[in-house]
Amino acid sequence: MTLTNYIPNNSLLVVALIGLTFDFTPSLPAADEEAVTPEQRAAILKTFRDDVTPFLKNYCMPCHGDRRSKKGDVSFIGVFGRPGAGEFRKVWQMSSVSVNEHAMPPEYAKKQPTDEERKKFVGWIPKVKYLNPKDPGAFVIRRLNKVEYGNTLRDLLGVDPSVAKDLPDEVPGEGYLNTLSPLQTEQYLVIANEALNRALGPKDGPSTEKQQQLFGATPPPTADPREAAKKVARSLARNAYRRPASDEEIDVLLRVFDLARENKLDYPASLRLMLKAILVSPQFLFITPAKEHPTNETIVPLDDFQLASRVSYFLWSTMPDAELSALADQGKLNDPATLRSQVKRMLLDKRSRALFDGFGAQWLGISGLREKRFDPAKFPEMTPALRTAMYDEVRLFFDSIVRENRSVRGFIESDYTFVNESLAKIYGLKEKVSGPQMRRVQLADPNRGGILGMPGTLAMTSFPERTSAVKRGAWVLEQLLGEHIPPPPPNVPELDKQDKKKVADLTQRQRTELHRSNTVCANCHKVMDPIGFGLENFDAIGRWREKDESGGPIDAGGELPGGKKFSSPKELKAIIAERKEDLVRNVTEKLLAYALCRQLEGYDVTVVDRILEHLHEDDDRVQTMIVEVVTSYPFTHRRIK
């Protein structure tokens, strides 16, 4: 069903009318106040020229100075002219770790830096952030994603969010799509029709309670229906646009109303068409500012309405509620104390589950758990019900960390979880838990507890038929500790493609260790593999075991760079938890990127440092992290030029 069910051949006209009031022109980069004095910046650049540049040219550029063959996915091309550019942020981070741990230059390199050269190089990298001006970064006027669109229709019209189920899924990541194709426009028209039918009933049916709530009473014959429609338009637009509509926007909606009246639709049907036009408008589909700012401004605070929407979609994946909207109407939301109290309130609301579904599941890599394939002969237990329980365990655990305002370290160190009967069997707790209801349980096994020992995360870092020490090690390094693992080099055979005779009598661990005999692979695998081996007592769906798939005994011991040794998942967990600084910084960076809907760059590094200072003062508590993200400079400001 499309808009042509109401007015033949006018669907594109309605969309065009609504689109007249929205400018899609992207913002251009601009600089603001300096983060450091000119003298300090000059000193940092001098060190770059005198110490860092020779280091790069002598030890790095031979392998990482070619655009076409970026070894390890790292290139220093372009860095000499603008070392502080955001695009090089990850490169500097990786370089610092690799050089500090003597992983780079590789052992086989002909030239090796002295300890003093390494010290100067690594010591300069934290200062690169001060080369960036104070800037909130590129502001994304973005389209609501599939989940947000469905949730917003629910809160606006009272319909089930599944009304939007036929929209394509978004690509996960920090950014958001902000395009609107003709095909998507038609999809939104179909969904808007269905939502209105569910909320208001069929177009020719009797008036419903929701219709009366949205439209009010039909004006008497003596009244001016257009004036009445104007009041309704302002009310509908205030809720749907999440801000007061401009006079121009109201005029556009009234033109839709007039168009309906010209086509002999009665008053309620004309309002219904106007509401439908709202539901496919850029002002509804995109989070837009409430007002224009002076042309001489470069960076401005978000207006209260835009801030309300930004907070609400960040924490709830839906439109602001009545309390948040009222504060925006009163101009109070930009007050830091008010904003902080609203974040605390919102985190205790059941709608804050959206923070896990949007951020937590993506961060921990379990979004695809329900669709992940497992060998049914080896793992017949992986039913849809068990997959749901595995996902819900991680969600409930994440939610408990947030609601109880626990430390970020709790993601690693906790001694409790949530299970039902089917999941309890995976844990070996089948005698203690019965029924499908998820419930909180205390864990006596120190190898369990926290996300490292959860079946959901263990399953997502396995292959369909077996575990993968490499995948699990990479997951810990990248998702928990924030390290970058380059893609594997070409022409290295996977384990399943190794010489069958050569590996016939080897355990899974021994077969994996063959990769480390290749010098190209060794630098990454010597860090990744031990971590993965430390989790080998858990099979591909998270059950405890003493032997691996080959029938050989599990060797969960290992040693990490720096001499850290372990012999069990429990001891590995303790080592990971000791890297508190890396863990907290990584989660903070990922959360800030998710909140801003873009990758971090430039001045964002300084912002993260300031957030971490406040976090450390409060034992790295998660609610404090979320509050600090919401009240941060790039979250509350936008670049307009």
Side-chain angles (χ1 to χ4, degrees):
M1 188 178 291
T2 67
L3 190 59
T4 54
N5 292 101
Y6 287 99
I7 302 178
N9 302 319
N10 278 300
S11 61
L12 295 180
L13 172 60
V14 172
V15 175
L17 285 171
I18 297 298
L20 288 175
T21 64
F22 189 75
D23 183 8
F24 287 88
T25 305
S27 299
L28 297 175
D32 195 30
E33 66 185 87
E34 299 295 311
V36 294
T37 65
E39 293 76 17
Q40 290 171 319
R41 174 174 289 188
I44 295 170
L45 287 173
K46 184 177 186 301
T47 302
F48 176 74
R49 289 192 302 270
D50 295 348
D51 298 325
V52 177
T53 296
F55 187 98
L56 291 173
K57 290 183 176 179
N58 287 332
Y59 308 114
C60 305
M61 294 298 285
C63 292
H64 304 289
D66 191 326
R67 292 184 187 276
R68 294 166 297 178
S69 62
K70 299 189 296 183
K71 289 190 177 180
D73 201 33
V74 174
S75 173
F76 290 101
I77 292 293
V79 75
F80 299 104
R82 45 199 185 95
E87 67 191 81
F88 299 119
R89 174 174 163 270
K90 288 290 186 183
V91 171
W92 289 127
Q93 287 180 330
M94 290 186 290
S95 301
S96 179
V97 173
S98 297
V99 171
N100 187 55
E101 294 182 352
H102 289 240
M104 287 290 162
E107 294 177 358
Y108 58 81
K110 294 180 180 179
K111 298 175 67 175
Q112 292 289 339
T114 65
D115 288 345
E116 183 63 23
E117 287 176 311
R118 288 183 188 272
K119 182 179 178 181
K120 287 182 178 180
F121 178 80
V122 172
W124 177 84
I125 289 178
K127 300 175 184 177
V128 70
K129 65 186 179 186
Y130 298 118
L131 298 178
N132 297 290
K134 186 175 182 180
D135 188 341
F139 185 80
V140 181
I141 295 182
R142 65 174 183 83
R143 173 169 52 82
L144 302 184
N145 64 33
K146 178 179 179 177
V147 172
E148 293 168 338
Y149 182 67
N151 289 346
T152 304
L153 288 176
R154 174 199 64 201
D155 292 347
L156 187 67
L157 301 177
V159 299
D160 192 289
S162 65
V163 70
K165 68 181 185 304
D166 291 333
L167 283 177
D169 292 325
E170 308 289 338
V171 178
E174 289 119 354
Y176 283 79
L177 299 177
N178 59 1
T179 57
L180 194 60
S181 69
L183 176 60
Q184 288 170 319
T185 300
E186 289 296 327
Q187 286 180 304
Y188 284 124
L189 287 168
V190 172
I191 293 170
N193 251 336
E194 177 61 24
L196 291 176
N197 285 340
R198 294 187 188 185
L200 309 181
K203 63 176 182 177
D204 297 323
S207 175
T208 65
E209 181 179 347
K210 191 66 179 180
Q211 178 174 308
Q212 293 179 358
Q213 177 187 339
L214 293 172
F215 299 162
T218 300
T222 56
D224 182 354
R226 199 173 192 274
E227 280 301 309
K230 188 174 184 178
K231 293 180 180 178
V232 175
R234 288 201 180 277
S235 174
L236 293 175
R238 170 61 185 90
N239 289 328
Y241 297 169
R242 302 161 292 265
R243 58 171 176 76
S246 67
D247 290 341
E248 182 183 6
E249 289 168 336
I250 295 300
D251 287 343
V252 169
L253 295 177
L254 289 177
R255 288 165 66 185
V256 176
F257 177 83
D258 293 341
L259 190 63
R261 298 292 281 175
E262 291 169 8
N263 281 266
K264 310 303 181 185
L265 295 184
D266 62 17
Y267 179 79
S270 299
L271 292 183
R272 181 178 179 131
L273 182 64
M274 187 171 69
L275 176 54
K276 182 175 182 177
I278 287 174
L279 297 181
V280 298
S281 68
Q283 291 87 343
F284 178 68
L285 299 175
F286 291 75
I287 300 174
T288 60
K291 59 183 179 182
E292 294 300 322
H293 290 274
T295 56
N296 62 334
E297 298 284 354
T298 302
I299 294 171
V300 297
L302 295 188
D303 61 66
D304 283 71
F305 303 103
Q306 201 169 18
L307 184 56
S309 288
R310 192 169 211 183
V311 174
S312 187
Y313 282 101
F314 170 42
L315 299 180
W316 286 350
S317 291
T318 191
M319 61 190 290
D321 66 353
E323 182 170 338
L324 209 55
S325 295
L327 288 169
D329 285 332
Q330 297 163 21
K332 294 181 178 180
L333 201 56
N334 258 299
D335 171 59
T338 301
L339 186 55
R340 288 173 182 270
S341 67
Q342 283 299 301
V343 173
K344 293 278 189 178
R345 173 184 74 87
M346 295 172 72
L347 289 175
L348 296 179
D349 189 285
K350 64 181 181 180
R351 283 170 287 189
S352 65
R353 167 182 174 167
L355 186 60
F356 174 76
D357 292 331
F359 168 72
Q362 178 180 308
W363 163 44
L364 296 174
I366 68 162
S367 299
L369 181 58
R370 292 183 179 91
E371 295 78 36
K372 183 176 172 66
R373 187 176 65 86
F374 289 90
D375 187 332
K378 289 186 175 182
F379 306 109
E381 302 88 350
M382 286 299 285
T383 62
L386 180 58
R387 292 167 184 265
T388 298
M390 286 181 174
Y391 183 91
D392 286 346
E393 176 192 18
V394 186
R395 175 181 62 79
L396 291 167
F397 177 73
F398 180 96
D399 191 55
S400 73
I401 296 287
V402 174
R403 285 176 176 269
E404 296 166 21
N405 198 18
R406 292 174 174 262
S407 170
V408 177
R409 298 189 308 277
F411 285 114
I412 306 297
E413 299 176 321
S414 297
D415 59 357
Y416 68 92
T417 193
F418 297 81
V419 299
N420 61 6
E421 182 175 352
S422 62
L423 192 54
K425 293 177 182 178
I426 302 295
Y427 274 93
L429 300 173
K430 62 181 180 179
E431 304 298 329
K432 297 183 179 180
V433 179
S434 62
Q437 187 69 31
M438 298 291 290
R439 72 215 65 182
R440 185 168 179 156
V441 297
Q442 203 69 23
L443 296 170
D445 182 357
N447 290 302
R448 294 286 191 179
I451 52 181
L452 283 172
M454 286 189 175
T457 55
L458 291 164
M460 285 302 295
T461 50
S462 295
F463 288 117
E465 72 288 346
R466 63 171 176 83
T467 60
S468 171
V470 175
K471 290 182 70 172
R472 287 178 175 177
W475 177 81
V476 170
L477 289 171
E478 292 189 317
Q479 302 307 118
L480 303 188
L481 301 178
E483 296 187 8
H484 175 77
I485 306 298
N491 304 321
V492 177
E494 298 178 6
L495 293 187
D496 295 335
K497 296 181 180 179
Q498 291 173 335
D499 187 313
K500 300 289 190 223
K501 293 181 179 179
K502 185 177 180 180
V503 302
D505 297 325
L506 301 182
T507 65
Q508 196 71 30
R509 175 167 184 153
Q510 291 168 333
R511 293 178 62 183
T512 304
E513 287 176 337
L514 285 178
H515 279 69
R516 295 169 68 173
S517 63
N518 184 324
T519 55
V520 178
C521 304
N523 282 318
C524 288
H525 280 276
K526 72 181 181 182
V527 180
M528 284 191 302
D529 295 359
I531 294 174
F533 293 144
L535 300 173
E536 271 291 277
N537 280 115
F538 301 114
D539 75 2
I541 62 172
R543 295 175 298 195
W544 185 265
R545 62 183 182 170
E546 300 293 340
K547 295 183 179 181
D548 70 9
E549 289 87 353
S550 69
I554 297 292
D555 176 5
E559 181 176 348
L560 297 174
K564 296 286 186 179
K565 296 181 179 180
F566 57 90
S567 60
S568 65
K570 173 186 71 173
E571 294 175 2
L572 175 62
K573 280 173 52 179
I575 292 173
I576 300 300
E578 285 177 6
R579 291 186 60 175
K580 173 183 80 168
E581 198 70 32
D582 295 323
L583 174 67
V584 176
R585 175 175 287 275
N586 177 54
V587 179
T588 301
E589 288 180 345
K590 289 184 181 297
L591 186 68
L592 181 61
Y594 174 78
L596 298 177
C597 309
R598 62 170 174 79
Q599 293 185 351
L600 300 188
E601 57 187 23
Y603 183 72
D604 297 328
V605 180
T606 301
V607 172
V608 170
D609 285 347
R610 290 176 180 171
I611 291 175
L612 291 176
E613 289 176 9
H614 293 127
L615 271 178
H616 296 337
E617 293 170 0
D618 193 31
D619 194 32
D620 302 319
R621 296 185 184 277
V622 174
Q623 285 191 17
T624 301
M625 176 189 292
I626 296 170
V627 168
E628 290 298 324
V629 165
V630 170
T631 55
S632 69
Y633 180 75
F635 191 92
T636 57
H637 289 71
R638 71 183 181 105
R639 185 199 297 156
I640 60 175
K641 287 185 181 179

